[in-house]
Amino acid sequence: MDKTSPQDVLLTAAECAARTGISVRTLRVYEANGLLSPVRSQKNWRLYSSGDIARLNEILSLKQLGLSLSAIAEILEGRMTDVGRLLDIQKTILTARQEQAERGLRLVAQLQSKNLAGEGLSMGDLLDLAKETKMNEAADEYAWKRYDQARPRTEIEPDRENLQACAGEYRFEDGIAIRITSTGKALRGELLGQPEFDLFAEAPDRFFLKVTPAQFTFSRDAEGAVEGLVLHQGGFEMKAERCAEGVFATAKAKLEDRIRNKTPFAGGEQKLRRLIGEHREGKPDYVEMTPVLKSLVEEQLPVVVKELERLGQMRSVEFRGVGVDGFDIYIVEFENGRMEWGLSQCPDETLNGLFMRPVP
DNA sequence: CTTCTGACA
DNA sequence: TGTCAGTA
């Protein structure tokens, strides 16, 4: 079922695990449940093809929706049409919601009787109730988006005129510019500081990337002119509006200047020192971060906190230069070692990138 | 040094 | 799902 062409890159179990953020053990479990079937090397090592990775992404998305491994196996293996698959997933989501509503109702009944008995309700009771009634909708929606963004897609023949209409420059709400060009047969996209990528059509105004699970939808105004786009990635949807030609080139030139002249973001070092301090406390300030970065930071926080604990007091912070991707690179010395930190920010100064790694 | 299987928590 | 033993 999985395509494995000769030139396909094959990942070992550990590499695959690292890339997808799950453990080798988990990969084995999925395989045992018939969800994955990587090829084996002569040494009997598992080798994961890009097809396996795609399938794994789909499995992980379905799992986020709360489906059991056996349910996922059924969906993936049965010759379920797309419609059948969607109905199945919707059913799972709605069932979960129903169960949650029932839990909420039980809680309400409990609190009502407590109230009637004149016992008075505590703040904790009310908070429980609020949590039970409100919380999960956002989580469901996020899980659904992640699934929809990660599912396999089918390419269609793009319409020439449509490609031309989509081409142009756009700016996201945080000020980041993106350039879309038409080759006549397909679209290419370029985000500042990142390699260009191809966009494949799956619908007239909807395109997807093959290198990573992400899609673009283009929107039109009343006259039918393309006025904006939405980037769907990582469970998020980021809107951008068409902007003047040349904005991208200007931003690119500015980045190249920063790289050449080793110019850090204004106030970058102070910001970094503050961030490291906050990470040490396990309480980063998310206010000045884009939503995407926030979720990334939240995800890696436990690991970072542990690492900072090991490293001890911060000794010094030294700016090294600007990377090709626009990240300011700093070397941070600690009592027990050193780390490299990188940060990048949008034109409006919100933080949109942060990475850290230990260096020898 | 890494992966594999199987077992147990 | 983490971890351990005993191998290949």
Side-chain angles (χ1 to χ4, degrees), chain A residues 210-226:
Chain A
K210 289 184 180 174
V211 286
T212 181
Q215 302 80 227
F216 285 87
T217 30
F218 292 86
S219 57
R220 292 166 181 272
D221 62 18
E223 283 80 50
V226 174

Side-chain angles (χ1 to χ4, degrees), chain A residues 49 76 81 87 121 130 226 235 242 254 290 293 298 300 321 340:
Chain A
S49 68
L76 255 31
T81 65
L87 289 176
L121 302 181
V226 174
R242 192 186 274 279
K254 200 170 161 194
T290 60
L293 179 61
E298 279 173 337
Q300 56 191 198
E340 185 179 74

Side-chain angles (χ1 to χ4, degrees), chain A residues 5-266:
Chain A
S5 53
Q7 63 273 55
D8 214 4
V9 188
L10 295 175
L11 302 177
T12 66
E15 287 166 341
C16 178
R19 184 185 281 207
T20 51
I22 60 178
S23 67
V24 175
R25 174 80 237 265
T26 307
L27 286 173
R28 283 180 46 207
V29 172
Y30 290 175
E31 188 176 340
N33 283 69
L35 295 176
L36 279 173
S37 45
V39 295
R40 298 297 183 111
S41 72
Q42 301 87 326
K43 286 187 210 156
N44 198 31
W45 289 17
R46 277 169 252 257
L47 296 174
Y48 296 84
S49 68
S50 56
D52 291 322
I53 306 286
R55 193 176 167 91
L56 185 52
N57 276 324
E58 198 177 3
I59 294 167
L60 294 176
S61 303
L62 289 167
K63 222 184 50 162
Q64 280 199 351
L65 292 172
L67 282 105
S68 66
L69 289 188
S70 51
I72 295 175
E74 267 178 43
I75 293 175
L76 255 31
E77 280 184 60
R79 274 203 192 165
M80 212 172 286
T81 65
D82 265 345
V83 176
R85 180 182 296 183
L86 297 192
L87 289 176
D88 208 62
I89 291 163
Q90 287 298 358
K91 183 178 166 190
T92 309
I93 293 176
L94 293 172
T95 307
R97 227 174 257 171
Q98 185 179 30
E99 282 164 4
Q100 196 195 357
E102 282 163 6
R103 271 203 309 280
L105 284 173
R106 275 198 298 277
L107 188 56
V108 167
Q110 206 180 323
L111 296 185
Q112 272 178 332
S113 58
K114 200 170 165 186
N115 193 34
L116 287 176
E119 291 177 37
L121 302 181
S122 70
M123 187 58 78
D125 288 336
L126 297 176
L127 281 179
D128 283 346
L129 184 60
K131 237 192 297 187
E132 200 63 55
T133 38
K134 192 116 199 331
M135 269 247 306
N136 257 1
E137 270 170 52
D140 282 348
E141 202 178 315
Y142 176 72
W144 170 254
K145 280 182 187 157
R146 280 194 68 108
Y147 167 72
D148 191 50
Q149 291 169 7
R151 79 184 153 76
R153 326 194 85 84
T154 28
E155 197 175 340
I156 63 165
E157 195 62 37
D159 176 86
R160 301 282 165 95
E161 279 173 35
N162 207 22
L163 293 179
Q164 207 44 252
C166 293
E169 296 183 22
Y170 303 84
R171 194 158 37 193
F172 290 99
E173 282 162 357
D174 53 23
I176 298 286
I178 179 171
R179 179 161 63 191
I180 305 288
T181 50
S182 166
T183 63
K185 291 177 183 171
L187 285 183
R188 302 212 83 200
E190 196 177 0
L191 264 163
L192 202 58
Q194 289 173 34
E196 282 188 58
F197 48 87
D198 288 314
L199 290 171
F200 303 89
E202 62 170 331
D205 277 351
R206 191 175 173 99
F207 296 79
F208 66 100
L209 276 71
K210 289 184 180 174
V211 286
T212 181
Q215 302 80 227
F216 285 87
T217 30
F218 292 86
S219 57
R220 292 166 181 272
D221 62 18
E223 283 80 50
V226 174
E227 57 171 358
L229 60 77
V230 178
L231 165 59
H232 310 259
Q233 187 173 24
F236 291 92
E237 290 177 351
M238 289 150 282
K239 281 200 207 47
E241 286 178 2
R242 192 186 274 279
C243 63
E245 299 280 320
V247 168
F248 185 85
T250 308
K252 192 169 176 176
K254 200 170 161 194
L255 171 59
E256 279 159 6
D257 273 355
R258 289 186 54 231
I259 295 173
R260 190 169 338 106
N261 304 325
K262 296 189 193 293
T263 318
F265 291 114

